[in-house]
Amino acid sequence: ERSLELPDKGNNGYGHVYWSIATVYGHFDKVKQHEYWLKAIKYYEASAEEDENKEPEILGGGYNQTAMSLSGTYYCLKDLYENMGNTKKANYYIKKLGELHKKQAEDPSGNSKEYHESRMADSYRQAGKFKKALEIYERHLAEEEYIENKPGIYSDIAKVHKEAGDMKKATECYIKILEIEPDDEDAILELAVIYQDAKKPDFARPY
């Protein structure tokens, strides 16, 4: 925190310092967890405000470093507010994430469309907008450029179906993953849990 008292010689702001301090407070032990979470929130929000108000830092190939930094900050804030039971503020940052990634995915000058669309879909999932999330993931499945990441996309779709309560469709996704990668441990575990919870031990046993 003493770093914040030093002059900003490069005129780059203190965003990286805010982030570092917030990360430390966000991982303190449980004895003073609530107190330190509040401090973490204070510094993450200061970091977010600085990133929101400065010119984007664009790296080679159109990679927007500022947007990536903001995304990480919003996720941390969302998690902290969820841990504190503040659903309203957690949802606020879920919305901010969706807006950020939608804007970046639509930016023709960027080169991180897949990343931002996937993160946008994840924000929709967390907000309970399952149909919108599925529209993005299913479009990715149909596009040739994502063919190597099909197991990951099926996993994301399965997660949406699980949260929506459709275990049948989630199961179908995990089976499709195993058709592509028979040794995928996550898919095997998820299927075992689903069948066990459904009181179908005979189906669970092979997994």
Side-chain angles (χ1 to χ4, degrees):
E1 289 175 305
R2 272 187 258 169
S3 300
L4 296 173
E5 300 172 7
L6 300 175
D8 178 21
K9 294 181 180 179
N11 294 317
N12 294 317
Y14 294 95
H16 63 293
V17 181
Y18 293 141
W19 173 274
S20 298
I21 296 171
T23 301
V24 172
Y25 279 127
H27 290 85
F28 260 99
D29 60 57
K30 293 184 178 180
V31 177
K32 293 185 176 180
Q33 199 170 59
H34 191 274
E35 174 187 341
Y36 287 128
W37 279 348
L38 287 173
K39 288 187 177 182
I41 285 170
K42 170 186 171 183
Y43 286 109
Y44 277 133
E45 288 185 336
S47 175
E49 182 178 3
E50 185 163 297
D51 278 342
E52 288 168 347
N53 292 312
K54 75 178 184 182
E55 286 295 315
E57 181 182 356
I58 309 298
L59 304 182
Y63 182 90
N64 190 325
Q65 177 62 40
T66 305
M68 294 296 190
S69 174
L70 262 177
S71 173
T73 304
Y74 289 160
Y75 268 106
C76 290
L77 284 164
K78 185 267 298 181
D79 287 343
L80 282 165
Y81 278 119
E82 281 182 346
N83 291 341
M84 295 178 69
N86 191 333
T87 304
K88 183 177 180 180
K89 288 293 286 187
N91 287 339
Y92 169 77
Y93 281 105
I94 289 172
K95 182 180 179 182
K96 294 274 280 186
L97 279 163
E99 292 170 348
L100 171 69
H101 291 300
K102 185 175 188 294
K103 180 179 178 181
Q104 294 304 313
E106 293 173 348
D107 183 358
S109 66
N111 69 346
S112 304
K113 180 181 177 182
E114 178 185 0
Y115 170 81
H116 288 295
E117 284 194 342
S118 295
R119 298 271 54 85
M120 181 169 60
D122 189 56
S123 298
Y124 284 141
R125 176 188 62 77
Q126 294 183 69
K129 298 178 180 179
F130 303 126
K131 184 178 179 180
K132 285 190 173 183
L134 288 172
E135 284 174 357
I136 294 173
Y137 290 136
E138 288 171 355
R139 176 162 48 79
H140 285 183
L141 274 181
E143 294 177 0
E144 190 172 336
E145 61 188 287
Y146 300 109
I147 194 166
E148 291 185 2
N149 192 34
K150 275 196 171 184
I153 298 171
Y154 277 125
S155 180
D156 289 331
I157 293 173
K159 188 182 293 185
V160 175
H161 286 312
K162 279 180 66 179
E163 294 193 15
D166 194 336
M167 293 305 182
K168 183 176 183 293
K169 287 187 178 179
T171 299
E172 291 171 357
C173 288
Y174 290 125
I175 290 173
K176 285 178 180 177
I177 292 172
L178 294 177
E179 288 173 354
I180 302 169
E181 296 183 356
D183 297 324
D184 189 294
E185 293 182 359
D186 290 333
I188 291 170
L189 178 61
E190 290 289 351
L191 278 174
V193 171
I194 288 173
Y195 287 134
Q196 194 66 42
D197 288 346
K199 302 191 186 310
K200 294 181 178 179
D202 291 339
F203 286 91
R205 201 164 288 122
Y207 300 104

